[in-house]
Amino acid sequence: MERWTRIGVLALQGAFREHARVLERLDVAVSEVRLPGDLDGLDALVIPGGESTTIMRLAELYGLDEAIRAFAGPILGTCAGMIVLDREHLDLADLVVERNAYGRQVASFEADVELVDDPRPLRGVFIRAPRIRELGPQVEVLGRLDGDPVLVRDGPLLLASFHPELTDDTRVHERFLSLVRERVVARTPEEVRSR
Amino acid sequence: MVERGTLRVKAGLAEMLKGGVIMDVVNAEQARIAEEAGACAVMALERVPADIRRDGGVARMSDPEKIREIQEAVTIPVMAKCRIGHFAEAQILQALEVDYIDESEVLTPADLEHHVDKWAFDVPFVCGATNLGEALRRISEGAAMIRTKGEAGTGDIVNAVTHMRAVFGAIRRLQAMREDELYAAAKELQAPIELVRWVAEHGRLPVVTFTAGGIATPADASLCMQLGADGVFVGSGIFKSGDPERRARAIVQATTHYLDAKILADVSSGLGEPMVGISASTLPESERLEARGW
């Protein structure tokens, strides 16, 4: 991917450095987002795992919640990132997520996620993980664990209830980059000039 | 295959706490205040370190009833402390399903030679360290997170700074060494060569590293983050201050925006009285918690 593609990682709290590390390995320019102005000029955004209550509180304090709602590019949300994008938080993704649905940390686990379009399983690390309770009709399920959707796409949003940033398998991030690439290629000449 | 209690799962929770503040709380009400202020986890205790220091006597694991009360009050992770080497207390904490066990020098040590074998547990452990060798010994025993010790219950940041400088400075020195010099370094550090080599190669500890002991102001939190901490523990600093709710919120913001001096100036304004504090250098040897653990 061209280096002029710039992806922001929400760096309020959580595993933002791990996401940045994976993206940099995939040759993408990455910057940290802490305030609304940090979103300017970004092609896409990653909302990492962390504590969703902490991330929401810090986002609201400086108007970052509204700025993310108005953000036009693709967003990757993992674990807490998926929670903050659901109907009951930022209301960008058409789904409802139950927090800590598998229980406390002793119940955290890793397991193979079955991908819809790839026979090779994906090792998923589930930490105090959320579970999708309701899915909107247009949401596409891309990965399942024991039948439950754990990796889904809703238009420009890619959401995982596990932590692809904690393993060496970069397939989730690569899928996100192909989403970003679609959007960047589809840009009109006016949009490109205005950047 | 489903696997629980792997190092990736244990250390992974600490990754999710990074950039956050873990607050000591003694009851459900304080836990709710901490969560509301944006704490990424709480440490359930019977007494905050400043009170343990004042009361003296033997400090032990909290009453399980207290821990349950706090677990029921919040949805963020709940941690609890066991005494150094007291694996039976740790087993009880695991049965209570606390999210992290802190094998802590703030409590009175139960074993003067051995720490808990932390590989034997599915619940992850965080341990204190004053230097790199100590941190690597705890990691070799299975700790999935490290916190530099500082001097708990003083409100004096000086020891936290000393310990961070010791750990992070030693890592930078390892990075400058030739491969064949690492053996002697491992011997000096009294740490396994494999871990020493990993640290030299990656320039950091293999687990998340927080700072604890003496953090009382937003500026303290920013200082720790700028020195290289992944996040901070605040013990007595919040609920021993004049306005705990405001101070808690301010320290959370300072930990995220640690490089933004304007935000730090704003959140530091009009916070009311900080905890009174004790200068760590005036403490007699026998009252220094940092010296517990080895």
Side-chain angles (χ1 to χ4, degrees), chain B residues 77-101:
Chain B
V78 175
M79 303 182 166
K81 289 182 194 286
C82 75
R83 285 178 264 178
I84 289 174
H86 206 315
F87 51 84
E89 283 187 348
Q91 289 159 356
I92 292 169
L93 293 175
Q94 173 157 279
L96 291 169
E97 300 194 355
V98 303
D99 294 295
Y100 243 94
I101 298 173

Side-chain angles (χ1 to χ4, degrees), chain A residues 79 102 104-105 107-113 122-130 144-145 148-151 160-163 166, chain B residues 3-4 8-9:
Chain A
C79 194
Y102 295 88
R104 299 183 195 280
Q105 174 64 12
S108 293
F109 61 96
E110 41 181 287
D112 288 340
V113 171
L122 179 81
R123 196 70 178 160
V125 183
F126 293 79
I127 296 174
R128 289 169 41 94
R144 292 182 189 274
L145 179 73
D148 276 343
V150 294
L151 178 66
S161 53
F162 56 96
H163 293 284
L166 292 185
Chain B
E3 290 179 285
R4 278 176 232 287
R8 196 148 62 176
V9 165

Side-chain angles (χ1 to χ4, degrees), chain A residues 12-14 17-18 21 34 51 54 57-58 62 99-100 104-107 109-110 123 128 163, chain B residues 1 3-4 6 8-9 15-18 36 38-40 75 77 97 99 123 204 230 253 256 263:
Chain A
L12 295 174
Q13 191 270 320
R17 240 180 290 143
E18 283 58 42
R21 217 173 275 156
R34 291 189 173 83
E51 275 309 311
T54 307
R57 173 123 344 255
L58 285 161
Y62 294 94
R99 293 182 56 210
N100 306 335
R104 299 183 195 280
Q105 174 64 12
V106 278
F109 61 96
E110 41 181 287
R123 196 70 178 160
R128 289 169 41 94
H163 293 284
Chain B
M1 193 178 72
E3 290 179 285
R4 278 176 232 287
T6 63
R8 196 148 62 176
V9 165
E15 301 285 352
M16 300 310 137
L17 301 174
K18 278 190 317 205
E36 189 59 28
C40 65
T75 60
E97 300 194 355
D99 294 295
V123 169
R204 60 184 171 92
D230 288 323
Q253 288 183 63
T256 291
I263 289 182

